[in-house]
Amino acid sequence: MAPPVSKSDKFYTVYKGRVDKPTIYSSWSQAHPRVIECEGAEHKKWDTLEDACKAMKDRGFEDVDIFVKKSAETKIVSLRKDKYYAVAGGKTTRVFTSWEDAKEAINRTTACQECFSTKQEAEEFIENWKDAYADVWRRAIRQGLNEGWKARDMSLNIGSFLLRENDNERLKEDGHEMVKTAQNELPKIEQLSVKEDNQE
């Protein structure tokens, strides 16, 4: 049984995507890496967990995973009317207090974003997105290992497949061309392959 959740939470049914089977998530930050830029992905947002479960059953899915991310036990309640804009996977990944700045980070990207009334909630949203993004990579790696792939070595150059903030601008200034210029775009994991060395 899923843990209790806030009435303000939304739920996301992921029918097809970077998942092993149909799954319900309680946060867009968890669903986003599993469907964005994934060919053939199908997902939908619902107001209640009951609606999401019913939608799964209506489509004939009985064996469904449900991931309800519980919020932090302690939340800082602010009497101010501040807004915090969480942007993950945009031109930069961070919390903004200005919508204009957030829009600039989101523009022309596949960013995952949401507005919150406290900074703590916005930061938690981004951390959840990072965890989900890492889970997608972990799933792809495990699948490869199950199929007999092996690591060339145990060193990992993370810069070979992830960009840091402003990397694109530096590359452009140096005169290099890139196929895609939007920073932190999701990798096309379904197209990843590992080429093994020929063994004698």
Side-chain angles (χ1 to χ4, degrees), residues 59-70:
R59 290 188 64 155
F61 298 122
E62 296 292 334
D63 183 22
V64 174
D65 281 340
I66 301 175
F67 287 97
V68 176
K69 194 84 173 175
K70 291 170 72 173

Side-chain angles (χ1 to χ4, degrees), residues 18-192:
R18 299 182 185 102
V19 291
D20 294 321
K21 63 181 179 180
T23 307
I24 297 172
Y25 296 97
S26 62
S27 168
W28 178 232
S29 65
Q30 286 285 306
H32 178 273
R34 294 171 166 94
V35 297
I36 295 301
E37 292 192 353
C38 180
E39 188 175 339
E42 293 181 34
H43 67 285
K44 188 168 181 181
K45 178 171 74 172
W46 304 91
D47 289 330
T48 68
L49 180 57
E50 291 74 20
D51 288 342
C53 289
K54 182 178 183 303
M56 285 291 195
K57 286 183 181 176
D58 289 347
R59 290 188 64 155
F61 298 122
E62 296 292 334
D63 183 22
V64 174
D65 281 340
I66 301 175
F67 287 97
V68 176
K69 194 84 173 175
K70 291 170 72 173
S71 297
E73 293 294 326
T74 305
K75 286 191 177 179
I76 300 168
V77 178
S78 174
L79 298 178
R80 297 168 57 186
K81 299 294 182 185
D82 294 335
K83 289 187 178 180
Y84 297 88
Y85 304 94
V87 176
K91 293 175 183 172
T92 183
T93 294
R94 68 185 187 91
V95 176
F96 294 89
T97 54
S98 157
W99 173 237
E100 290 304 314
D101 291 341
K103 274 198 305 190
E104 179 60 31
I106 294 164
N107 190 33
R108 299 177 67 148
T109 72
T110 56
C112 178
Q113 82 272 351
E114 200 162 315
C115 178
F116 297 92
S117 58
T118 69
K119 186 176 182 182
Q120 180 178 346
E121 289 173 306
E123 289 173 342
E124 184 179 310
F125 179 87
I126 288 176
E127 290 307 309
N128 288 343
W129 178 85
K130 289 177 185 175
D131 288 343
Y133 196 103
D135 284 346
V136 167
W137 277 97
R138 183 176 182 274
R139 177 179 173 268
I141 291 168
R142 288 185 63 84
Q143 181 180 348
L145 293 172
N146 287 340
E147 293 174 5
W149 295 352
K150 59 186 176 194
R152 292 183 184 276
D153 57 52
M154 292 306 291
S155 64
L156 176 64
N157 177 7
I158 198 164
S160 66
F161 60 91
L162 292 179
L163 293 176
R164 290 173 300 182
E165 183 178 352
N166 298 324
D167 275 353
N168 284 336
E169 282 76 6
R170 280 197 296 274
L171 287 169
K172 286 178 189 174
E173 288 170 5
D174 292 341
H176 294 86
E177 292 186 8
M178 296 182 68
V179 176
K180 290 189 176 182
T181 57
Q183 290 179 332
N184 300 325
E185 289 202 14
L186 290 173
K188 298 193 182 310
I189 291 173
E190 62 274 9
Q191 297 177 9
L192 288 179

